[in-house]
Amino acid sequence: MTTKKTDAIVIGAGWAGSILAKELTEAGLSVTILERGEDRATAVEGDYPTSIDELRGAIRHRLFQNLSQSTVTIRNTTDQVAVPYRRLAAFLPGEGVGGAGLHWSGVHFRVAPDDLALRTNVIAKYGKNFIPEGMNLQDYDVTYEELEPFFDKAEKVFGTSGEPYTIKGKVAGTGNPFAPDRSDAFPLPAMKDVYSASIFKKAAANVGYHPYSLPAANASAQYTNPYGVQMGPCNFCGYCSGYDCYMYSKASPNVNILPALRQDPKFTLITKAHVLKVDLDSDGKKATGVTYLDLRTNQEVQLKADLVIISAFQFHNVHLMLLSGIGEPYDPVKNTGTIGRNFVYQTITTSRAWLPSKQYTNLFVGAGGAGVAIDDFNSMNFDHGPLGFVGGSPVWVNQAGVKPIAAAIGGPGGKAPTWGEGYKDAMVETYRHSLTIDAHGSNMAYRDIYLDLDPTYKNAYGQPLLRMTFTWKDNDIRMNQYVVSKIEPIMKELGATRYALGTLHANDVFDTRRYQTTHLGGGAVMGADPKTSAINRYLQSWDVSNVFVIGASAFPQGMGYNPTGMVAALAYWAAYHIRTTYLKNPGPMVQA
Amino acid sequence: MKMPSPTRRHFIGGLLGSASFWLYSDHKVWADALAVGNAGPYAPRYFNKEEWRFLNAACERIYPTDAHGPGARGLGAPEFIDRQMDTAYGRGELWYMSGPFVSAPANLGYQLSLPPREVYRQGIAGADAYVRAHHDGRSFADLEAAEQTAVLKEFEHGEMALGAVPAHLLFEQLRQNTLEGVFSDPLYGGNKGLAGWTLLGFPGARADFMDWVNQEGAAYPFGPVSISGETA
């Protein structure tokens, strides 16, 4: 075993890790990122036309985690035996420098402020009995006003395109009227609406909703961010989701942060470094560093540090905490412990409209973050009282560029054949003349939905896999059904010749074979109470004060918005408080 | 079905025009793809003669030749699948393949110990045995088209074991791989003459639609181009 020393270790080179590494080097620390995958640079493998190969890309998982080394096991209920997630399908974690931040789409939201204190808000409005039995509804213990400067900073780093609604309390644009107030405009104007999004915008307005162009971390114009790195204007090539943007238009850690960071002599990036555990001192109160496996030499390396940032993908964060003995593992029977508690996902269902044959939707044209949405049924923007559920969904046309293999395998939709006679006719109509509308919604946390270590299955390094116990619950199914019912008037208004509404159904179980979203959350949540949260409001472990855990793992419940904007803001928020408070006086920043 | 020769010449020409670039650029996957000879009928490297007959017949039923144009055979989907068998995908190297392998509810996903190439090896042998037992000793490839379709429909939702492979899993893999072959870049042996993309109106590697973000519902006017520069 080799032993080395650095000031701070950052685990994972995705958005959260890259942000923390940048901030901590700015604070004068020597910082080492440990990334288990390969180095990735847009100039090397993201170039045109190398990157725009659907088979090698999204279908054969060029940028996704290779499950052959490590995966998770999944069961729906606690009385089942969990089995491995052997083939990627339902969700697609990244691997390599950039992480999922390299292959994401680029939808870049802030947060619905009500979601940050959802428990408090639901109780204030509807009473405590409104919360269903078994639902662990919680607050983040941070306010939108506190986070606002960090949302602003993240948008400037990402080169986010969008249309504001209010800036400093004054109406400043035609953006989302439900969006919280801003201290400044978006760094770039909103992306243009593709045809399908433009007709959705008109139809949604005509039926009385409030459509807006999505905030997108796809650059609508040439841009130089505060780190001095440049983005090119998006050309709607459609290769965002699952790809690495040959135009340098989609924000990624690789394009927006790492070019600046790589030049800093205090910064070290070690790839093919699989962290086995965070090492703790003899009483388990301090991390002394980490032990990782150098995948090139198969040697274990001990890297010592004063500060350890766990900032891998959501469930890898939880896995590493469980493997390292940081905090108490959650026990759903005794309802004790916090690590693995409040594991959440998102609901998403897709509805389709077919347009007359003279109207072409050109589905291959698109940008991952662009589109038009309504927030009328998101968060607490509508009256839940008579509806009897918690949560909501934005609804949108987010034409991200539909590729032919994915379209063909997905099939023409409706009742059309999925192969053989009649298939081609139906595929042609669907690919040329249809559009899709998603309800992309929240998912609440429940006492019997959680993460722990699997008793049977191991990764390639002999460690137990993480086990997910997850299925859909009545509250979220009914939320989805309600919101989808509100899509129907839009379908009628936009001139569809026919449409098919996609919803969850009563008693649906989570199906791991079909892509839904990669927006997993929770499992190491932030909060005010160490009995129900793993980390405090500064994302600092309650149990090991020199460990911070950054990512969607901090979300107490799943929200309707895409998570990356919130992850980035929380990363800058945590980094700010580490720099201004923690480093001056290392120790717990909140007394338990 | 053979593609008309001008298209084929164009296809080869397109590849040769750029092969040196890809080889020079050290794109190993594409270098391997380009190394496959394009002269003469394709000789399968993984599938044996009986499997190859089954595969050609089954692919063609899944994506048939019709008034819209060539089916999966004409587009080279069987060749695509044969070539995929000797990749990380075909060998199951993209999947978690450690045991124990146990049966589980279908919604928890694939739980067999077989990589795709073994699903075909065992599944096709099992399928042909099943067909011979139910169709007077004929193999799948010898059935009439309508009979083949009927058998595939049985497999599509069937729980019967074809060797160690549940029939619906063989069907699912056949359908997925056939459509991959029809709609992937021709680099991988399918989508010959870009006919898969032409059918859908997908413009391939153009990947620049700055002027086509919103043309008020007009059809995109340009035909497809492949990664290697072939057009149709």
Side-chain angles (χ1 to χ4, degrees):
Chain A
M1 171 124 39
T2 320
T3 303
K4 295 174 184 167
K5 173 80 173 65
T6 182
D7 291 338
I9 292 168
V10 172
I11 301 167
W15 275 122
S18 300
I19 288 169
L20 266 292
K22 184 76 180 76
E23 290 279 314
L24 296 177
T25 52
E26 283 179 14
L29 273 57
S30 61
V31 178
T32 300
I33 288 188
L34 299 173
E35 164 57 49
R36 74 173 168 192
E38 303 278 356
D39 201 355
R40 298 189 190 279
T42 299
V44 179
E45 65 173 313
D47 65 338
Y48 176 90
T50 306
S51 63
I52 58 154
D53 177 343
E54 186 189 12
L55 186 78
R56 201 163 68 89
I59 303 295
R60 295 285 187 261
H61 309 157
R62 178 167 58 91
L63 299 178
F64 306 151
Q65 184 183 342
N66 183 339
L67 299 186
S68 68
Q69 302 303 295
S70 189
T71 183
V72 294
T73 64
I74 307 179
R75 58 181 180 172
N76 295 125
T77 52
T78 53
D79 59 356
Q80 285 183 315
V81 174
V83 291
Y85 178 58
R86 296 185 181 278
R87 314 196 317 202
L88 284 175
F91 49 85
L92 306 168
E95 191 165 85
V97 169
L102 182 57
H103 74 69
W104 72 316
S105 299
V107 176
H108 189 183
F109 281 112
R110 293 190 168 192
V111 70
D114 284 341
D115 285 356
L116 291 175
L118 198 57
R119 180 179 181 83
T120 299
N121 291 324
V122 165
I123 290 173
K125 205 161 176 186
Y126 306 115
K128 202 168 183 176
N129 291 337
F130 196 81
I131 301 172
E133 177 69 28
M135 183 189 287
N136 286 344
L137 199 58
Q138 293 183 200
D139 297 350
Y140 281 72
D141 197 30
V142 66
T143 66
Y144 174 73
E145 288 68 28
E146 289 174 308
L147 291 179
E148 201 286 334
F150 306 101
F151 281 116
D152 182 67
K153 182 164 184 172
E155 286 170 356
K156 285 170 176 156
V157 170
F158 284 44
T160 301
S161 304
E163 171 74 12
Y165 182 60
T166 62
I167 299 174
K168 293 180 178 156
K170 291 203 172 82
V171 173
T174 58
N176 177 15
F178 296 101
D181 193 36
R182 309 171 54 84
S183 60
D184 199 358
F186 286 95
L188 290 171
M191 293 280 285
K192 286 190 247 174
D193 303 329
V194 298
Y195 176 63
S196 61
S198 76
I199 62 175
F200 173 83
K201 194 180 239 177
K202 276 184 214 134
N206 287 347
V207 299
Y209 302 149
H210 300 84
Y212 62 93
S213 296
L214 283 168
N218 307 143
S220 60
Q222 193 278 337
Y223 181 70
T224 303
N225 83 0
Y227 299 145
V229 299
Q230 296 184 38
M231 302 174 79
C234 171
N235 68 358
F236 289 79
C237 81
Y239 289 87
C240 305
S241 194
Y243 300 86
D244 33 13
C245 193
Y246 76 87
M247 287 293 287
Y248 295 76
S249 307
K250 179 183 74 178
S252 64
N254 314 59
V255 165
N256 294 60
I257 298 177
L258 287 161
L261 198 46
R262 287 178 199 264
Q263 294 173 25
D264 193 319
K266 295 186 294 303
F267 172 69
T268 307
L269 170 66
I270 305 178
T271 58
K272 303 296 280 182
H274 181 93
V275 177
L276 296 167
K277 63 180 167 63
V278 177
D279 298 317
L280 304 181
D281 67 4
S282 54
D283 64 359
K285 299 273 193 222
K286 282 270 187 204
T288 55
V290 309
T291 301
Y292 70 88
L293 189 64
D294 180 337
L295 299 175
R296 292 191 178 90
T297 62
N298 224 18
Q299 298 289 308
E300 279 192 21
V301 180
Q302 206 169 52
L303 184 58
K304 296 202 170 291
D306 302 320
L307 182 60
V308 175
I309 308 293
I310 302 178
S311 49
F313 190 73
Q314 173 265 339
F315 61 76
H316 299 317
N317 284 353
V318 179
H319 193 207
L320 202 51
M321 292 177 87
L322 290 168
L323 292 174
S324 307
I326 298 172
E328 185 186 344
Y330 174 63
D331 180 332
V333 178
K334 292 188 226 154
N335 204 16
T336 56
T338 58
I339 313 304
R341 189 177 184 278
N342 279 31
F343 169 50
V344 294
Y345 197 21
Q346 280 185 319
T347 52
I348 180 165
T349 60
T350 298
S351 301
R352 189 179 293 276
W354 285 268
L355 302 179
S357 61
K358 63 179 194 307
Q359 285 169 269
Y360 289 77
T361 47
N362 298 322
L363 291 181
F364 48 86
V365 177
V372 170
I374 58 168
D375 265 17
D376 298 70
F377 307 103
N378 187 33
S379 188
M380 295 188 69
N381 301 344
F382 58 110
D383 184 8
H384 290 68
L387 302 170
F389 60 75
V390 179
S393 301
V395 168
W396 61 51
V397 168
N398 169 221
Q399 185 168 304
V402 183
K403 256 63 87 218
I405 301 174
I409 291 172
K415 295 187 171 64
T418 55
W419 60 280
E421 199 179 328
Y423 170 74
K424 286 189 202 172
D425 275 316
M427 271 313 301
V428 167
E429 190 200 3
T430 292
Y431 197 76
R432 293 177 183 251
H433 305 295
S434 77
L435 60 88
T436 55
I437 302 176
D438 300 318
H440 178 279
S442 59
N443 169 229
M444 295 300 132
Y446 300 92
R447 179 166 167 175
D448 59 356
I449 300 293
Y450 67 107
L451 300 170
D452 67 353
L453 294 177
D454 190 89
T456 306
Y457 292 94
K458 305 245 185 307
N459 66 17
Y461 321 111
Q463 297 181 300
L465 297 184
L466 188 71
R467 175 169 69 176
M468 294 179 171
T469 303
F470 184 84
T471 198
W472 302 116
K473 297 281 192 176
D474 179 66
N475 175 85
D476 304 290
I477 292 169
R478 287 189 298 111
M479 180 280 291
N480 170 266
Q481 290 173 337
Y482 172 76
V483 176
V484 172
S485 76
K486 298 297 177 184
I487 296 174
E488 195 153 21
I490 304 176
M491 292 292 195
K492 291 179 171 155
E493 180 66 22
L494 58 70
T497 54
R498 61 195 166 92
Y499 57 87
L501 297 175
T503 66
L504 292 173
H505 301 93
N507 304 314
D508 269 0
V509 290
F510 173 48
D511 190 330
T512 68
R513 296 170 298 179
R514 188 172 54 77
Y515 184 69
Q516 283 141 81
T517 85
T518 304
H519 305 158
L520 298 149
V525 312
M526 59 193 291
D529 182 353
K531 287 197 185 64
T532 57
S533 58
I535 54 178
N536 65 28
R537 68 197 305 264
Y538 305 111
L539 293 92
Q540 178 183 37
S541 164
W542 287 112
D543 300 278
V544 182
S545 64
N546 63 339
V547 170
F548 290 75
V549 187
I550 320 289
S553 47
F555 299 179
Q557 48 265 328
M559 54 188 176
Y561 281 165
N562 306 49
T564 300
M566 182 65 178
V567 169
L570 288 176
Y572 278 115
W573 155 263
Y576 175 82
H577 290 284
I578 293 171
R579 292 178 67 169
T580 55
T581 305
Y582 176 85
L583 290 178
K584 289 176 184 150
N585 184 18
M589 295 162 78
V590 179
Q591 291 309 317
Chain B
M1 179 175 181
K2 279 196 81 163
M3 293 306 300
S5 58
T7 309
R8 185 156 186 87
R9 274 202 302 276
H10 192 122
F11 173 63
I12 296 166
L15 287 181
L16 290 177
S18 59
S20 58
F21 170 73
W22 297 119
L23 294 169
Y24 179 74
S25 305
D26 196 25
H27 292 87
K28 184 164 186 318
V29 177
W30 291 353
D32 289 350
L34 289 161
V36 174
N38 281 288
Y42 180 75
R45 292 184 294 182
Y46 176 73
F47 293 107
N48 65 35
K49 201 174 152 209
E50 277 306 300
E51 291 167 343
W52 186 241
R53 290 183 72 232
F54 175 96
L55 190 68
N56 274 270
C59 289
E60 183 67 14
R61 293 280 67 77
I62 288 167
Y63 191 85
T65 301
D66 60 15
H68 284 293
R73 286 177 77 161
L75 285 164
E79 172 184 337
F80 165 87
I81 296 172
D82 185 66
R83 286 164 57 174
Q84 286 292 304
M85 294 303 97
D86 193 24
T87 63
Y89 163 76
R91 293 187 294 267
E93 290 164 9
L94 303 179
W95 300 350
Y96 181 79
M97 294 299 266
S98 300
F101 293 89
V102 298
S103 62
N107 67 290
L108 296 179
Y110 188 80
Q111 296 299 330
L112 297 183
S113 62
L114 307 176
R117 55 196 282 157
E118 282 303 313
V119 167
Y120 282 133
R121 182 122 295 156
Q122 300 195 24
I124 292 174
D128 262 336
Y130 177 89
V131 171
R132 277 193 293 274
H134 292 82
H135 294 270
D136 318 319
R138 290 177 293 163
S139 65
F140 180 85
D142 295 327
L143 301 181
E144 299 297 323
E147 294 174 304
Q148 290 173 342
T149 298
V151 168
L152 290 178
K153 282 187 175 160
E154 275 183 73
F155 289 172
E156 185 177 11
H157 303 291
E159 292 297 331
M160 65 282 246
L162 306 175
V165 183
H168 67 92
L169 286 179
L170 174 68
F171 178 83
E172 181 190 304
Q173 183 171 300
L174 264 171
R175 176 180 175 274
Q176 179 186 323
N177 290 164
T178 300
L179 296 174
E180 287 169 356
V182 167
F183 293 108
S184 56
D185 192 277
L187 273 172
Y188 301 99
N191 192 12
K192 292 202 190 294
L194 309 182
W197 290 350
T198 300
L199 176 86
L200 293 184
F202 176 67
R206 290 192 183 274
D208 177 2
F209 306 115
M210 194 73 111
D211 298 330
W212 277 85
V213 176
N214 185 0
Q215 292 280 0
E216 298 299 336
Y220 182 77
F222 304 114
V225 56
S226 75
I227 286 170
S228 67
E230 180 191 2
T231 55

